[in-house]
Amino acid sequence: MKLHVDLPRHPYDIVIEKGALSKVGKWLSQLWKLQKVAIITDNHVASLYAEKVKLSLQDAGFEVIVFDFLEGEASKNLITVNKAYEFLVKHGMTRSDGILALGGGVVGDLAGFVASTYMRGVHFVQIPTSLTAQVDSSIGGKTGVNTPFAKNMVGTFAQPDGVLIDPEVLSTLGERELIEGMGEVVKYGLIQDKDLWQELQEMDGSLLSIYQHAESIIYHSCDVKRKVVVEDELDNGIRLYLNFGHTIGHAIEATAGYGQVMHGEAVAIGMVQISKAAERKGLVLTGITEQIREMCLKFGLPIDYEPWDEMKLYDALTHDKKARGKKIQIVLVPEIGTAQIHSVPLEEMKDFLKK
C-alpha cells in the first residue's frame, strides 16, 4: 500500500507493507544517494530493531551510526537534543548526510527536530514503530520537543523524504502502548472517515482485532492525515481538525508529568471531556459524547483522569500553540465524520474543563 503526500515543495510517499523493515536499505537507496545515515532511536526500540535496520542499510552501501536515548516522553527535551548534536558532530555528520528516525512518536518528533535544526537542516526519513506514530506523528512534518511549560512548545515544520510503515512491528508493543494508539485512530474516524468509524464499530476491541485490522486502520488514518496536511501544511486552517481531543489532552499530559498519561490516552480523555462540555452548551448533537465514550471503552482507552485539577489544566491550556491572543481554537465533532473549528475566549475554556 502506498499513499502520496503531494506537497508542492516537498512531496513524499508513505509506504505501508508487512515485513518492510527487512527492506529498509533497498527502500532508502531509492530515495537517497549513498551517504552516512544516523539512526536516532530509543534504547528499547534499539534493542529490538536497530541492528536489523543497520545491517539492511549497510548491505545497501550506506555508512551507519546509531544514537539512542532513554525511552519515554520525559526524554523529549532540549537536553537530549543537545546530546544528539554532540554525537553527530563527533561522528562527522555533514549536510550531505541524513537521519533515520526509528521508533515511536517521541523518537520521531525528536529526531525530526534534530534533523531540521542540525547545520540548518539535513534530510531525514521516518520509520515509526508504534501505532500512534504510524497513524499520526510520523506524517505531516511537525517536529518538536517538550519544555516544562508545555508539550511540543519548541519545534519546526520539516517534511521527511519518506515514511516506511511495517505493521508487523506492532507485535512487539506492550498492551498499553498498542491500545493508546487507538486514541488517534478513533479520532480519525470521528473527524473525517465514516468508513473507518464503521470498521471500528465492527471490531470487537480485542488486541487480536487490532492486529488483524492493522493495515486497514493504518491506511485509513494516514489517508485522512495526508489529505489534511496537503490542504493545510502549516496548521493555519483545517489541519486544526487533527487536534480534536488534543487541547485538553496536551494539558493533561503536561500537568500529570510527561509520560504518566500516554498521548493517545490523553487524547481519548480530551475527546470525551470537550464533547461532554460542548453538549452542555448545545454545540454538538446530543448523544455524540456517549458514542465516543463507548468506542474508547471498547478498545480499553481511559475516558477520565484523576486528580482532575481544573486550574492546573487551565494554566497549561494558556500555553497551547492553538492560542491566539486571548482566544483559543478548539475542535468539535458535531456528528460522526465531521469536524468544526470554534474560536473561544481562553477564559471560556474553564467551562470546557468542568466535570
Side-chain angles (χ1 to χ4, degrees):
M1 293 179 172
K2 184 183 286 188
L3 288 163
H4 184 59
V5 184
D6 193 18
L7 292 167
R9 289 178 295 131
H10 197 108
Y12 59 94
D13 289 327
I14 304 163
V15 176
I16 306 164
E17 181 185 337
K18 285 184 176 179
L21 210 62
S22 62
K23 307 170 188 174
V24 172
K26 182 180 177 182
W27 171 71
L28 198 59
S29 63
Q30 295 169 348
L31 297 177
W32 293 351
K33 295 176 182 177
L34 293 181
Q35 59 196 261
K36 187 179 294 180
V37 177
I39 298 173
I40 294 184
T41 186
D42 66 39
N43 61 315
H44 176 67
V45 175
S47 68
L48 294 169
Y49 300 120
E51 193 63 23
K52 183 176 185 177
V53 172
K54 181 180 178 180
L55 288 173
S56 179
L57 291 171
Q58 287 175 332
D59 287 345
F62 291 98
E63 181 186 346
V64 186
I65 55 176
V66 181
F67 172 80
D68 68 85
F69 58 89
L70 186 64
E71 69 172 314
E73 192 79 31
S75 291
K76 200 174 86 170
N77 54 43
L78 291 168
I79 295 170
T80 310
V81 167
N82 203 50
K83 289 177 181 176
Y85 292 151
E86 185 179 354
F87 176 86
L88 298 178
V89 170
K90 282 184 177 178
H91 286 83
M93 282 285 285
T94 72
R95 291 194 70 187
S96 299
D97 299 319
I99 287 173
L100 184 154
L102 177 67
V106 169
V107 169
D109 283 358
L110 186 137
F113 180 74
V114 169
S116 67
T117 52
Y118 180 74
M119 293 188 172
R120 296 197 179 95
V122 298
H123 47 276
F124 72 105
V125 291
Q126 293 271 13
I127 302 184
T129 60
S130 71
L131 183 57
T132 303
Q134 289 180 346
V135 301
D136 187 60
S137 57
S138 66
I139 305 150
K142 280 187 178 179
T143 79
V145 293
N146 304 328
T147 72
F149 311 105
K151 183 178 169 72
N152 295 331
M153 179 174 264
V154 178
T156 64
F157 283 96
Q159 300 295 341
D161 290 338
V163 180
L164 184 67
I165 298 173
D166 184 349
E168 287 185 354
V169 304
L170 298 179
S171 64
T172 57
L173 279 183
E175 181 176 338
R176 185 182 178 191
E177 285 73 20
L178 182 67
I179 290 171
E180 72 112 358
M182 292 304 295
E184 290 287 359
V185 175
V186 169
K187 177 199 75 177
Y188 284 117
L190 285 166
I191 65 169
Q192 203 174 94
D193 194 330
K194 290 182 180 178
D195 290 339
L196 174 57
W197 184 261
Q198 182 63 38
E199 183 172 356
L200 294 174
Q201 286 187 312
E202 292 167 2
M203 293 166 64
D204 64 16
S206 66
L207 297 181
L208 180 60
S209 74
I210 297 173
Y211 292 131
Q212 289 174 334
H213 289 257
E215 278 184 287
S216 177
I217 62 178
I218 291 169
Y219 181 88
H220 274 278
S221 300
C222 289
D223 196 31
V224 173
K225 183 149 192 184
R226 173 189 69 85
K227 290 172 184 173
V228 171
V229 167
V230 168
E231 193 167 337
D232 179 23
E233 181 182 0
L234 299 180
D235 206 10
N236 293 311
I238 68 160
R239 186 164 176 172
L240 285 170
Y241 291 171
L242 301 173
N243 288 317
F244 179 53
H246 286 58
T247 300
I248 292 174
H250 280 170
I252 291 169
E253 286 183 85
T255 55
Y258 294 124
Q260 297 303 307
V261 179
M262 298 184 76
H263 178 67
E265 295 171 342
V267 168
I269 298 166
M271 290 190 295
V272 170
Q273 176 63 28
I274 204 159
S275 298
K276 182 168 64 177
E279 265 195 59
R280 286 199 302 259
K281 290 173 172 285
L283 297 172
V284 298
L285 287 176
T286 301
I288 192 78
T289 306
E290 188 56 29
Q291 291 184 72
I292 298 170
R293 188 176 169 279
E294 286 178 2
M295 186 66 80
C296 289
L297 288 173
K298 180 168 86 166
F299 286 102
L301 289 159
I303 56 169
D304 202 355
Y305 160 72
E306 294 294 339
W308 188 268
D309 189 321
E310 290 177 24
M311 288 313 298
K312 281 186 178 178
L313 289 167
Y314 177 74
D315 186 53
L317 278 174
T318 62
H319 299 297
D320 194 286
K321 297 180 297 301
K322 294 173 287 298
R324 300 287 188 272
K326 292 186 178 180
K327 292 198 168 186
I328 191 167
Q329 307 274 66
I330 63 168
V331 182
L332 301 177
V333 169
E335 58 181 302
I336 303 297
T338 62
Q340 290 178 352
I341 299 167
H342 289 256
S343 182
V344 302
L346 263 175
E347 188 71 21
E348 193 179 329
M349 283 307 298
K350 291 176 181 176
D351 294 343
F352 284 93
L353 292 170
K354 290 189 189 309
K355 286 292 195 181

